[in-house]
Amino acid sequence: MNGGNEVVAAPAGPPQPLEWKFSQVFGERTAGEEVQEVDIISAIEFDKSGDHLATGDRGGRVVLFERTDTKDHRGPRRDLERMDYAISRHPEFRYKTEFQSHEPEFDYLKSLEIEEKINKIKWCQTANGALFLLSTNDKTIKYWKVQEKKVKKISEMNVDPKAMGNGSIVSSSSSSSSRSYLANGVSPDGPYNYLSNDFSFPPGGIPSLRLPLVVTSHETSLVARCRRVYAHAHDYHINSISNNSDGETFISADDLRINLWNLEISNQSFNIVDVKPANMEDLTEVITSAEFHPTHCNTLAYSSSKGSIRLVDLRQSALCDSHAKLFEEQEAPGSRSFFTEIIASISDIKFGKDGRYILSRDYMTLKLWDINMDSGPVATFQVHEYLRPKLCDLYENDSIFDKFECCLSGDGLRVSTGSYSNLFRVFGCVPGSSEATTLEASKNPIRRQVPTPSRPSRSLGNSITRVVRRGAESTGVDANGNSFDFTTKLLHLAWHPTENSIACAAANSLYMYYA
C-alpha cells in the first residue's frame, strides 16, 4: 500500500505445475505383443509450425503425421474473436504418409554393415505446399520432398461403343475381315500385303485398336521423392544433423568431425570441426551431439563425452578447432570414480527457442546453461540420482551407455527428458519453481505418480540445483517407489514448438500428451 491509495502488485511467482493428460497413441501394443526390432522408433521431430510430426524407426522408415484440430476452426481472426465461447482444443494428429528412407547397406572396403536405422530427422523450410526434411542413418543423409500430386486415371477408351456393335474385340475384329490367316498371323495372299498401295483404313478406323485416354482426376496422393543424397563424408557414425537458420546450409556430426553442407550441393562438404588427434591413442573425448543456434547462422554448439559444451563461431576461421566459449562443470574434489567420465558424457543438447539457453542431458542429470555465463549451469535437475548405487549393474548390462534425449518447451519455462520403465520427467526451470513431474508413456500417464515432498533448493544468483527425492536403497526402485525396468526405456521425445504438448516414443508406440 502506498499513500493509502495505490496497491503494489506482488512479484509474480513461478507458474503452476502443469496437469498432463493423455491425448493420442499410434501403434499401441496389445498385452503380450512382441515388438519387432525394425518397428522401434529411433527419432522424433516436430516442424517449426508444430503442424507436422515425423518419426523414424530402426527399419529405415520415416512416418509423417499432420495436425487436424486447427483445420476445424478456419476463418478470419476477427470472427473467431467475436465468438462468445472459447475454443478449448489440444493438438491432435493423424497419420499422413510414410516412406522407406534408408535401406541396409554393406561397405565392402571396410567390411562393415551399415544398418538402416534412422538416427535423426530434421524439418527444412516448406515451399509451394511441399514438405522438405533431412533424414540420416549412420553414414548417409538424404533430403526428401513430400508433395501431394494429382492422380492420373484412365477415364475411357477412344472408341465409340456404338461403332463397335457389341463392343467385343473378338467379334469386331473377326467381322471386320473375311480374309483367312495362317497360324503366325501372316496373310496367305502375301507376307507384307498390308503395305501395298491398295490397303486402306475402313471407315471409322480399325475397331480392334483401343487406346486409353488418361486424365488428371481430383484425387491426390502423397509422393515422397529423394531430392539429394549426401554420402561418403563420415568415417564414423553420424550422431547429429542440424539445419542452419539461413535455410541454405546444415551440419552433420560424427564422433570426431562436424561437416558443413549446402542443401543444393550433395557432392561437397566443408569440415569445420575436427577433434581427431594425429595418433588415435591420444584420443580422450569424442563429439556426442551438435546443433546450430536457432537465429544466429554463424554460431553452433557441440557437446563431448567429457561433459563439456563448446560454442563455435564460424566467422573466426574456416576450421573451428578453437572454440569461442567452453561450458563445463567442475567436478567436486574427491568425487571421482570409475564411472565419472561415463556418466558425465552428454547424450543430447538443445538450444532454447531464443538461443539464450542450452539444455544438455547426461546420464544422471539435465543441465540448463546460459550462453552468457560459462562458469557453470544455471540449473541442474536430478533425473537418475536414485540409480547411483546401481552403476555397476548398469555398466554390466550396458544400460549406462543409453543415450537419452532432452527438449525444452516453446516458452522456455520447462524442460523434459526420458528415463527407464517408459517414464519421462518434466521440470520447471523458472527460478523458484519446484515443478518436477514424473509421467509414464501409457494411456494413464500419472498412474505411477506419487506425491513428491517439496524439494530443498539452493540459489546462487540464477543458479538453482534441485534435489529430487531419492528412491529407496533397495534394488530396483525408482524415484516414485516403483520397480524400474531397464529394458523399457524412453529415449526419444519432442516438445511442441508453441503449445504444451509432448510426443514420446515407447518402443514402437508413439504417445502424445497435452497440458
Side-chain angles (χ1 to χ4, degrees):
M1 196 73 73
N2 188 358
N5 296 324
E6 296 180 12
V7 178
V8 179
Q16 290 296 312
L18 295 176
E19 186 180 334
W20 291 93
K21 300 181 183 70
F22 169 79
S23 173
Q24 290 174 281
V25 59
F26 296 95
E28 185 182 19
R29 299 193 308 278
T30 57
E33 181 185 350
E34 194 171 329
V35 179
Q36 299 297 317
E37 177 83 8
V38 294
D39 294 331
I40 295 176
I41 296 172
S42 56
I44 301 179
E45 189 81 10
F46 281 105
D47 71 348
K48 277 189 177 180
S49 68
D51 291 338
H52 292 92
L53 174 68
T55 65
D57 63 26
R58 293 189 184 180
R61 289 164 300 204
V62 172
V63 183
L64 304 185
F65 301 88
E66 67 177 347
R67 189 169 177 176
T68 58
D69 58 293
T70 52
K71 296 179 180 179
D72 301 332
H73 305 288
R74 288 178 177 165
R77 180 174 176 178
R78 187 178 299 172
D79 294 347
L80 293 174
E81 289 174 348
R82 283 179 187 162
M83 291 181 181
D84 56 356
Y85 62 92
I87 300 171
S88 58
R89 65 170 188 263
H90 60 271
E92 289 183 1
F93 287 80
R94 72 177 177 194
Y95 169 87
K96 187 177 178 76
T97 189
E98 68 179 84
F99 56 90
Q100 188 71 32
S101 174
H102 288 72
E103 301 278 359
E105 299 174 54
F106 190 81
D107 187 334
Y108 292 96
L109 291 175
K110 298 182 179 179
S111 295
L112 282 175
E113 286 185 9
I114 304 169
E115 61 179 355
E116 64 272 33
K117 178 175 83 92
I118 305 295
N119 290 344
K120 294 288 178 183
I121 297 173
K122 293 292 177 183
W123 289 92
C124 303
Q125 291 179 352
T126 58
N128 300 325
L131 303 174
F132 295 88
L133 47 89
L134 290 165
S135 62
T136 184
N137 64 354
D138 285 338
K139 295 288 184 180
T140 306
I141 308 157
K142 295 186 179 182
Y143 184 46
W144 290 92
K145 178 181 182 181
V146 182
Q147 191 176 29
E148 281 191 350
K149 291 204 169 182
K150 290 189 175 179
V151 178
K152 290 185 176 180
K153 287 188 172 183
I154 298 172
S155 65
E156 58 182 61
M157 302 297 182
N158 68 340
V159 178
D160 184 4
K162 294 176 183 176
M164 293 180 60
N166 63 2
S168 74
I169 299 175
V170 177
S171 63
S172 60
S173 59
S174 59
S175 60
S176 62
S177 174
S178 58
R179 190 182 290 182
S180 59
Y181 289 89
L182 300 178
N184 62 359
V186 179
S187 170
D189 300 343
Y192 301 104
N193 194 41
Y194 55 85
L195 291 176
S196 62
N197 294 331
D198 58 349
F199 175 80
S200 61
F201 280 94
I206 302 174
S208 61
L209 185 64
R210 297 167 64 107
L211 296 178
L213 283 180
V214 180
V215 297
T216 304
S217 71
H218 296 294
E219 293 180 29
T220 59
S221 67
L222 282 160
V223 179
R225 190 163 64 91
C226 184
R227 293 285 304 275
R228 284 176 192 85
V229 177
Y230 313 91
H232 313 302
H234 288 278
D235 291 330
Y236 304 93
H237 290 179
I238 298 171
N239 55 49
S240 304
I241 52 175
S242 178
N243 294 324
N244 198 345
S245 58
D246 63 10
E248 295 180 359
T249 55
F250 70 93
I251 53 168
S252 58
D254 65 21
D255 292 342
L256 298 179
R257 292 188 178 96
I258 299 177
N259 293 333
L260 179 69
W261 302 82
N262 188 300
L263 280 168
E264 302 297 321
I265 303 169
S266 59
N267 59 356
Q268 185 182 38
S269 66
F270 296 97
N271 179 225
I272 54 174
V273 174
D274 188 349
V275 299
K276 185 178 181 180
N279 183 358
M280 284 296 281
E281 291 181 1
D282 298 332
L283 183 68
T284 58
E285 64 180 330
V286 295
I287 298 167
T288 57
S289 182
E291 184 166 78
F292 260 120
H293 190 282
T295 54
H296 298 166
C297 62
N298 57 284
T299 305
L300 64 94
Y302 68 92
S303 59
S304 82
S305 57
K306 278 194 168 180
S308 60
I309 300 171
R310 290 172 172 84
L311 207 62
V312 169
D313 191 338
L314 297 176
R315 298 171 299 186
Q316 287 184 342
S317 63
L319 186 62
C320 304
D321 284 340
S322 59
H323 51 266
K325 281 191 176 181
L326 173 67
F327 304 94
E328 60 184 355
E329 190 171 29
Q330 301 301 320
E331 63 181 69
S335 64
R336 191 166 184 81
S337 71
F338 173 77
F339 304 109
T340 299
E341 278 199 17
I342 300 174
I343 61 176
S345 176
I346 294 174
S347 55
D348 190 27
I349 59 169
K350 293 279 169 58
F351 271 102
K353 198 172 186 179
D354 60 357
R356 169 77 183 269
Y357 295 97
I358 299 175
L359 181 67
S360 68
R361 170 71 205 262
D362 56 47
Y363 190 73
M364 304 298 282
T365 65
L366 267 178
K367 292 187 175 78
L368 191 67
W369 307 79
D370 185 335
I371 64 170
N372 297 328
M373 191 178 88
D374 53 9
S375 58
V378 294
T380 299
F381 310 97
Q382 303 292 347
V383 181
H384 280 165
E385 187 61 35
Y386 63 92
L387 291 177
R388 198 171 287 276
K390 303 282 292 176
L391 290 178
C392 283
D393 297 337
L394 294 163
Y395 180 77
E396 289 293 325
N397 63 22
D398 284 345
S399 294
I400 201 169
F401 301 107
D402 288 335
K403 300 186 186 315
F404 292 93
E405 293 180 2
C406 59
C407 57
L408 295 95
S409 62
D411 56 16
L413 300 179
R414 294 172 181 86
V415 295
S416 183
T417 191
S419 181
Y420 293 106
S421 304
N422 283 342
L423 299 177
F424 63 101
R425 311 290 306 274
V426 178
F427 299 97
C429 54
V430 176
S433 172
S434 61
E435 181 176 357
T437 310
T438 303
L439 302 156
E440 183 186 31
S442 69
K443 286 189 173 180
N444 185 8
I446 58 173
R447 70 180 179 187
R448 300 181 70 130
Q449 181 80 15
V450 296
T452 321
S454 58
R455 282 163 296 283
S457 63
R458 58 182 178 83
S459 181
L460 300 172
N462 281 333
S463 180
I464 302 167
T465 303
R466 287 171 179 74
V467 182
V468 177
R469 192 185 71 159
R470 297 192 183 198
E473 292 302 317
S474 62
T475 60
V477 177
D478 67 14
N480 284 324
N482 300 294
S483 60
F484 49 66
D485 179 6
F486 294 132
T487 61
T488 56
K489 48 194 114 177
L490 199 151
L491 301 176
H492 311 287
L493 77 172
W495 202 302
H496 191 282
T498 58
E499 301 185 34
N500 286 321
S501 175
I502 292 178
C504 55
N508 66 329
S509 302
L510 176 67
Y511 286 91
M512 307 194 73
Y513 303 93
Y514 71 97

